């Protein structure tokens, strides 16, 4: 009898638990069906974001693991990428991203990463709203609906949890602040630095929570010790996770990064700078989409009257504080790009190479906190408040879904067509030499494609590499840069993309197969190219042989599953010149 009663109690508990969390469970199922299942079904046929994604970041992990230098010292040279890049330029072994690429093939690791981001965002936002922003049983629809719409944002995959993980992190910190601490709050604060890049949002989140701690100390006349310990722990584990970056950029005086020459301030007029401020405030930034301008801003206007006229000004002060933070950091974003401030910004960057414009990584979190607050006011104020909430959530979710990666990138090649592995296997077989014996560059396509397929490249895209290599690589492309002020400024003032720039192509690195482009005047320094070890050129466009006698055409590679036609060239007169088949 006792056993039956115990079982009945357990069943009642499970039933109650299911009932209490029914809405978020439904949201999780919807999230899986919409966000995750298509990746799992399509696999290599998925249309995945190229910019700052397939063109760059995926190669950092594949190159690192292929090189076998995971635990090597920072100055260990990895020969296969950009003529030989130091280990310290590639990701830390303590990053969760790195672990995923250790455990899975590249495409699978990417899909797992995208699914992981979405579900961390869902759970984190739900917990944050439920515990600290819109608590109460009558707010379950808002808690789950806002969490779902946040989880559907088009997070930048290789930003890790820079945006997706912030609600969970803020939930943990606010729980410390409320003295409702459990061991899992500390666990979140310790573990999330492995997936939140310090230079993306980590350091800016620390500024935000430090401001909250300062407010508590001033308003409550007490020191929030647990909160401060949490800040110290998060900062410490973030520095530990990014120890390679810290050594290379701050401690090791012998290493000079190409970042030391970056000119962030490229907006010429104050009017343009003001436009940048308005754009990031109203429309957000492409690395940290908030998609708040269609529904969330009107919700705030709709609820604003109630906040202003309400006898209690607590919510109004809360909303205004968040809006002020977003506005001030949007101003920083715009002014950071103003050329007139470069004499001030450049010395700061040399001391601490930190882009202060990146406060925008916090904006999605803050806009969605405001969204939930506004919906809560609408629900409690209007007679048909719940129906309005359902409608507004539905519109926001549908709007967000229109930015879904596999949909918004449908005009670009699929993952398999982009990397074209079978086609590049044919190129490797045609050359018939060990990959480590020669170096290649690409024209008209991203060099990540050649690197992904095992070729040793002189070109590439990475955010931190030796300044000396930037200068050496510039010698190869100097003739083409001299033809274009835009390309010259793009490389000299930024330089993350050490590409074979061609004035005739501009910044078009997606020259698909079947194009009729012929390069009439290719002005590369072939002596500098061969001195760097370069022997082959993979070009997605044809080079006119009569106008450019220095380039020897070897073969045209076409494949039905590839997005490219690859013209294989070598330097005329070199030992690699072969008879055309």
């Amino acid at each position: 009898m006792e056993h039956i009663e115990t079982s009945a109690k357990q069943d009642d508990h499970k039933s109650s638990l299911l009932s209490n969390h029914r809405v978020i469970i439904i949201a999780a199922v919807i999230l899986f069906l919409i966000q995750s299942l298509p990746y799992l079904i399509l696999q290599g046929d998925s249309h995945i974001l190229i910019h700052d994604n397939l063109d760059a970041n995926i190669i950092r992990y594949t190159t690192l693991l292929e090189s076998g230098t995971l635990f090597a010292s920072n100055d260990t040279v990895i020969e296969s990428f950009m003529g030989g890049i130091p280990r310290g330029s590639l990701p830390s072994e303590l990053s969760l991203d790195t672990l995923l690429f250790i455990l899975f093939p590249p495409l699978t690791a990417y899909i797992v990463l995208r699914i992981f981001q979405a579900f961390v965002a869902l759970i984190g936002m739900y917990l944050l709203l439920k515990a600290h922003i819109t608590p109460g049983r009558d707010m379950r629809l808002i808690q789950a609906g806002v969490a779902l719409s946040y989880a559907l944002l088009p997070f930048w995959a290789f930003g890790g949890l820079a945006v997706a993980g912030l609600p969970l992190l803020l939930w943990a910190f606010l729980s410390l602040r409320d003295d409702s601490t459990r061991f899992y709050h500390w666990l979140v604060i310790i573990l999330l630095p492995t997936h939140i890049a310090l230079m993306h949002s980590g350091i800016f989140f620390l500024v935000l929570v430090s401001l909250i701690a300062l407010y508590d100390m001033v308003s409550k006349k007490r020191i929030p010790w647990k909160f401060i310990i949490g800040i110290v722990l998060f900062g410490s584990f973030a520095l530990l996770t990014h120890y390679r970056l810290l050594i290379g950029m701050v401690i090791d005086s012998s290493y000079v990064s190409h970042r030391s020459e970056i000119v962030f301030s490229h907006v010429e007029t104050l009017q343009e700078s003001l436009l940048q401020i308005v754009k990031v405030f109203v429309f957000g930034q492409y690395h940290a989409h908030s998609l708040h301008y269609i529904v969330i801003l009107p919700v705030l206007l709709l609820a604003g009257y109630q906040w202003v006229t309400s006898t209690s000004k607590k919510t109004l002060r809360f909303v205004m504080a968040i809006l002020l933070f977003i506005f001030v950091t949007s101003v920083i974003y715009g002014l950071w790009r103003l050329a007139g401030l470069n004499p001030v910004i450049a010395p700061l960057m040399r001391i601490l190479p930190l882009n202060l414009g990146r406060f925008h990584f916090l904006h999605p979190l803050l806009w969605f906190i405001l969204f939930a607050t506004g919906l809560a006011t609408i629900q409690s104020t209007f007679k048909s408040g719940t129906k309005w909430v359902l409608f507004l959530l539905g519109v926001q979710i549908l709007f967000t879904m229109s930015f879904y990666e596999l949909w918004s990138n449908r005009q670009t090649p699929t993952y398999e067509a982009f990397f074209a592995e079978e086609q590049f296997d044919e190129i490797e077989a045609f050359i018939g030499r060990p990959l480590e014996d020669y170096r290649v560059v690409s024209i008209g396509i991203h060099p990540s494609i050649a690197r992904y397929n095992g070729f040793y490249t002189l070109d590439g895209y990475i955010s931190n590499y030796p300044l000396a290599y930037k200068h050496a690589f510039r010698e190869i492309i100097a003739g083409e840069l001299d033809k274009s002020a835009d390309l010259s400024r793009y490389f000299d003032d930024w330089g993350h993309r050490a590409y074979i720039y061609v004035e005739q192509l501009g910044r078009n690195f997606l020259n698909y197969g079947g194009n009729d482009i012929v390069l009439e005047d290719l002005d590369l320094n072939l002596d500098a190219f061969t001195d760097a070890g370069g022997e082959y050129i993979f070009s997605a466009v044809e080079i006119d042989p009569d106008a450019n006698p220095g380039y020897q055409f070897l073969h045209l590679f076409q494949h039905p599953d590839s997005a490219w036609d690859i013209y294989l060239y070598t330097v005329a007169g070199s030992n690699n010149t072969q008879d055309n088949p």
Side-chain angles (χ1 to χ4, degrees), residues 149-425:
S149 58
Y150 188 80
L152 288 169
L153 286 175
F155 300 117
W156 175 35
F158 289 101
L161 296 180
V163 175
L166 294 185
L168 185 64
L169 192 58
L170 185 58
W171 163 75
F173 268 98
L174 293 182
S175 298
L176 299 186
R177 184 188 186 214
D178 291 348
D179 288 328
S180 55
T181 315
R182 299 290 184 273
F183 77 94
Y184 42 78
H185 297 128
W186 297 110
L187 201 59
V188 166
I189 290 169
I190 290 170
L191 292 180
L192 256 62
T194 66
H195 207 52
I196 294 180
L198 194 62
M199 306 299 277
H200 289 153
S201 67
I203 198 163
F204 305 107
F205 181 84
L206 282 175
V207 171
L208 176 64
V209 292
S210 296
L211 288 174
I212 295 173
L214 182 62
Y215 171 80
D216 284 350
M217 284 188 279
V218 172
S219 64
K220 298 178 182 178
K221 310 296 185 194
R222 67 180 181 85
I223 299 175
W225 286 112
K226 287 185 180 179
F227 202 71
I228 291 174
I229 292 171
I231 292 173
V232 171
L233 275 177
F234 179 81
S236 300
F237 277 90
L239 289 174
L240 176 63
T241 302
H242 297 84
Y243 78 96
R244 289 187 182 275
L245 182 65
L246 184 66
I247 292 172
M249 302 296 285
V250 180
I251 298 174
D252 184 3
S253 60
S254 66
Y255 176 74
V256 182
S257 171
H258 85 286
R259 298 183 67 88
S260 62
E261 286 189 346
I262 290 179
V263 179
F264 279 102
S265 308
H266 59 266
V267 174
E268 297 297 330
T269 68
L270 182 59
Q271 184 178 358
E272 290 177 288
S273 182
L274 292 174
L275 184 61
Q276 291 283 328
I277 293 169
V278 172
K279 280 184 175 179
V280 78
F281 184 85
V282 176
F283 299 106
Q285 204 267 355
Y286 68 92
H287 275 141
H289 288 286
S290 48
L291 304 182
H292 61 279
Y293 48 92
I294 294 294
V295 175
I296 297 176
L297 284 178
V299 162
L300 298 183
L301 291 174
L302 195 60
Y305 177 78
Q306 179 64 24
W307 295 331
V308 171
T309 58
S310 173
T311 53
S312 172
K313 300 298 181 184
K314 183 177 180 180
T315 303
L316 179 62
R317 288 195 299 269
F318 173 72
V319 170
M320 293 305 297
I322 293 178
L323 285 174
L324 180 63
F325 183 88
I326 295 174
F327 175 73
V328 169
T329 53
S330 296
V331 170
I332 294 172
Y333 179 90
L335 293 180
W336 196 255
R337 285 153 176 72
L338 186 60
L341 293 179
N342 194 55
V344 177
I345 293 173
L348 291 175
M349 289 293 295
R350 281 193 288 272
I351 298 170
L352 183 63
L354 179 66
N355 181 358
L356 292 182
R358 286 181 173 170
F359 273 104
H360 62 75
F361 275 97
L362 305 183
H363 290 184
L365 165 69
L366 300 176
W367 281 119
F368 275 76
I369 287 174
L370 292 176
F371 186 31
T373 306
L375 290 177
T377 299
I378 290 171
Q379 179 174 289
S380 60
T381 302
F382 292 93
K383 187 175 181 181
S384 302
T386 302
K387 292 180 180 178
W388 272 105
V389 166
L390 272 171
F391 171 74
L392 292 166
L393 282 171
V395 175
Q396 178 64 31
I397 288 170
L398 289 174
F399 175 58
T400 305
M401 284 170 57
S402 69
F403 288 81
Y404 179 49
E405 181 180 37
L406 302 187
W407 170 256
S408 60
N409 292 285
R410 64 192 183 283
Q411 302 301 324
T412 63
T414 64
Y415 183 93
E416 287 186 352
F418 181 83
F419 285 119
E421 293 182 65
E422 291 184 6
Q423 183 183 34
F424 278 81
D425 285 344

